[in-house]
Amino acid sequence: MITCTPLKTRQMFMSNLLTNPQKRYLKGLAHDLRPTILVGAKGVTPSLLAELDAVLEQHELIKVKVSAEDRETRDAWIAAMVEGSQAGLVTRIGNTAVMFRRSKNKPFVILPKA
């Protein structure tokens, strides 16, 4: 299991990779998506990060559902996934986070200009 430290603020996520218009656009695209990755009681493990990397490479925009006991643990797990996958956090609502990372092989989501 990967150790996670709680964040002081939610703004510390790697959200600076995306501008606000890009985030709004991606939120609209992600609205109808179902969670692709489910994080359970074991938390963020190396195998989960490997699966997350593969799913981001294939889909670029995904939803992740986190089942944590408290808010600090949930925020720490989401931060560990964002850092481990080098993805941008589009939004987080409750137990669900939306993440985006451009595919290296076949990018298909076209972002609006910054």
Side-chain angles (χ1 to χ4, degrees), residues 14-23 26 88-90 100 111:
M14 295 181 63
S15 58
N16 57 355
L17 298 174
L18 301 168
T19 63
N20 286 333
Q22 291 171 338
K23 286 182 189 178
L26 291 172
L89 182 68
V90 177
F100 174 77
L111 292 174

Side-chain angles (χ1 to χ4, degrees), residues 8 17 22 27 32 35 55 61 74 91 93 103 109:
K8 293 181 182 173
L17 298 174
Q22 291 171 338
K27 283 181 196 178
D32 293 331
V55 170
L61 182 67
R74 181 181 63 217
T91 187
I93 299 174
S103 175
V109 175

Side-chain angles (χ1 to χ4, degrees), residues 5-80:
T5 57
L7 295 176
K8 293 181 182 173
T9 64
R10 291 187 186 152
Q11 300 299 325
M12 291 178 66
F13 290 117
M14 295 181 63
S15 58
N16 57 355
L17 298 174
L18 301 168
T19 63
N20 286 333
Q22 291 171 338
K23 286 182 189 178
R24 277 195 308 271
Y25 176 73
L26 291 172
K27 283 181 196 178
L29 291 179
H31 180 70
D32 293 331
L33 295 178
R34 295 198 179 262
T36 309
I37 300 286
L38 303 173
V39 182
K42 291 185 179 180
V44 180
T45 61
S47 61
L48 182 118
L49 288 176
E51 183 66 24
L52 179 64
D53 187 53
V55 170
L56 279 168
E57 184 60 35
Q58 184 179 6
H59 296 285
E60 290 187 337
L61 182 67
I62 63 166
K63 278 187 181 179
V64 178
K65 185 152 183 136
V66 179
S67 298
E69 301 88 29
D70 57 359
R71 179 176 289 177
E72 290 81 23
T73 305
R74 181 181 63 217
D75 288 346
W77 286 356
I78 291 172

Side-chain angles (χ1 to χ4, degrees), residues 92-113:
R92 186 192 68 79
I93 299 174
N95 292 334
T96 305
V98 177
M99 298 169 63
F100 174 77
R101 186 181 74 195
R102 170 105 28 227
S103 175
K104 297 174 188 118
N105 298 331
K106 292 191 280 184
F108 57 89
V109 175
I110 300 171
L111 292 174
K113 296 289 181 194

